Amino acid sequence: EALKYQLEALALYEQANDIGKTCNALLRIGNVYCSMQDDSTGLIYYQRALEIGLKIPSKRHIAIALNNMASIYSRFGESDRAISVYHQALQMRREIGDLNGASLILNNMGLEFTKAQRYDSAWYYINESYVLTDSIGYKEINMSNCKAFAELYAAQGEFDKAYDWFRQYHVIFEQINEEKSKNEVSRLSALLKAEESEREIEKFAQQKVIDVGTKVLSDKEEIFRIYYYDCPPFEKKLTN
């Protein structure tokens, strides 16, 4: 269903010659195919998005396409190619000053170097990402860096260090979940208050209807009876 919607959206954007939205749609379609474990088709859409990103030009779109392509090359077992494409994506992120995006790519590069058993390089890039995410407060990637360090040391047989980093990963994981839970509670609380307010408004509106109807009843009982019993009930319409 998601794929059908995105393909329809892509066709509309192409007809309107909106290259920015076309590029976004291509990236989203690539994501859908990858989520379906169809990396080959996903790669085709990322490559198309890259071509448009270069045409716009938009370094942000280029960086996203390159990062996603590199992830596919990694899954294909092409580490050298993945690392090379990650480098290009990192350059784009740095040129536009996107620290969050840069930290993500640095993390991806560290993981890829670990996979390739190039441990010194892996430590360098994971640490670069760790320092950056710590400075900007990007907890999600900082958590990933802790896990990446744990995997790096475990791959080298340094299990005490691996355990320490995994423990840090778990601490940040719990912090993020706690924050998400608090945010969800706040969101639900706000929704509850809004619904209570709407119920009060609905109650007031219904009371007004009854008040008006009662007034009519005092003079014209039959008119009120038809109005009160035959009219449809008050319905609350929800809007997204």
Side-chain angles (χ1 to χ4, degrees):
E1 189 67 27
L3 180 59
K4 178 183 176 183
Y5 171 79
Q6 294 298 343
L7 288 170
E8 290 174 351
L10 174 61
L12 291 174
Y13 297 145
E14 288 178 329
Q15 288 175 10
N17 199 30
D18 189 330
I19 57 176
K21 290 183 179 180
T22 296
C23 192
N24 287 332
L26 289 167
L27 290 168
R28 287 193 294 267
I29 292 170
N31 291 343
V32 173
Y33 274 111
C34 288
S35 70
M36 296 165 59
Q37 284 77 53
D38 188 351
D39 285 339
S40 295
T41 305
L43 182 60
I44 292 172
Y45 280 93
Y46 292 147
Q47 289 170 332
R48 287 179 60 187
L50 176 60
E51 291 173 2
I52 294 177
L54 291 166
K55 182 180 178 180
I56 295 175
S58 168
K59 291 182 179 180
R60 175 182 168 275
H61 287 102
I62 293 169
I64 294 172
L66 288 171
N67 180 74
N68 294 351
M69 289 167 61
S71 296
I72 291 177
Y73 294 139
S74 174
R75 292 194 290 275
F76 285 168
E78 302 177 37
S79 285
D80 289 341
R81 190 174 187 181
I83 290 167
S84 175
V85 177
Y86 276 136
H87 268 295
Q88 297 175 53
L90 178 61
Q91 181 181 346
M92 293 293 107
R93 290 294 189 182
R94 283 174 166 167
E95 286 181 6
I96 61 177
D98 182 358
L99 300 182
N100 287 349
S103 66
L104 171 64
I105 296 171
L106 286 165
N107 174 269
N108 287 340
M109 293 178 71
L111 292 171
E112 192 59 35
F113 277 116
T114 297
K115 184 178 175 181
Q117 299 182 351
R118 295 164 64 179
Y119 300 129
D120 289 343
S121 294
W123 186 92
Y124 173 81
Y125 284 101
I126 297 170
N127 189 64
E128 283 282 295
S129 182
Y130 181 81
V131 171
L132 179 56
T133 52
D134 192 51
S135 68
I136 62 178
Y138 195 172
K139 280 189 176 182
E140 286 79 6
I141 299 300
N142 213 1
M143 176 183 70
S144 296
N145 286 322
C146 291
K147 187 177 180 181
F149 270 131
E151 293 174 356
L152 171 62
Y153 285 117
Q156 297 175 88
E158 299 184 52
F159 297 110
D160 288 342
K161 289 183 179 180
Y163 174 76
D164 288 340
W165 279 106
F166 186 78
R167 187 168 56 183
Q168 291 186 52
Y169 158 80
H170 184 70
V171 168
I172 299 175
F173 177 82
E174 291 296 326
Q175 289 175 350
I176 291 173
N177 276 349
E178 184 177 350
E179 290 172 4
K180 287 181 178 179
S181 296
K182 287 180 179 178
N183 291 337
E184 182 64 13
V185 168
S186 297
R187 187 184 71 84
L188 292 175
S189 177
L191 282 175
L192 180 60
K193 288 180 180 178
E195 288 178 358
E196 288 175 349
S197 296
E198 287 200 24
R199 281 196 294 269
E200 287 299 317
I201 294 171
E202 179 180 337
K203 182 179 178 181
F204 176 77
Q206 290 175 329
Q207 186 60 48
K208 279 294 184 182
V209 169
I210 292 172
D211 290 345
V212 171
T214 303
K215 185 176 180 180
V216 173
L217 177 64
S218 62
D219 297 326
K220 300 180 181 179
E221 183 176 353
E222 186 63 24
I223 293 176
F224 172 72
R225 186 179 293 111
I226 294 172
Y227 169 81
Y228 188 79
Y229 289 105
D230 292 351
C231 286
F234 179 88
E235 293 183 359
K236 180 174 66 176
K237 294 183 179 180
L238 299 178
T239 56
N240 294 327

